[in-house]
Amino acid sequence: MSRTPATPERAALHQFIARHERFLLTTHLNPDGDAIGSEVGFAHLLRVLGKQVRVLNDSATPHAFTWLGLEAPVEVYTEALAEACFAEADALVVLDTGNKQRIGHVANHIDRHAIA
């Protein structure tokens, strides 16, 4: 079986992951299954690579998708929790949206913290 050739985007992602140890993941407001699944899947990959990971969302995980978070807890935003998560992280990854406003209150912390 052959390996998929490396693309510049894939190489950039691998370099980004290698440069950081403590990740904070988030997604859009009112997350759906693909948003939660993306967070949990990426968190799993990072943990396998020996990285520390927290997942923090502005909105609670809908009941239909809580099973996705059984392996990797998905925390729900509070001001204090977000401050703690940002203080601990050296990298932020926003999944399933490219719009800063769509991540809700979590976005308010981005400019206050030196995070990649």
Side-chain angles (χ1 to χ4, degrees), residues 37-109:
S38 295
E39 289 176 313
V40 171
F42 197 57
H44 177 76
L45 169 69
L46 292 169
R47 286 187 180 107
V48 166
L49 295 172
K51 308 297 181 170
Q52 296 174 25
V53 185
R54 290 185 81 171
V55 180
L56 175 69
N57 291 336
D58 186 89
S59 307
T61 301
H63 181 71
F65 305 117
T66 54
W67 64 273
L68 287 169
L70 294 177
E71 181 182 329
V74 177
E75 299 175 273
V76 180
Y77 178 89
T78 68
E79 180 81 21
L81 178 59
E83 281 299 314
C85 288
F86 272 86
E88 293 172 5
D90 59 7
L92 171 68
V93 178
V94 179
L95 297 158
D96 202 40
T97 185
N99 183 330
K100 184 177 174 182
Q101 289 72 35
R102 289 270 296 131
I103 62 174
H105 291 97
V106 175
N108 299 334
H109 299 267

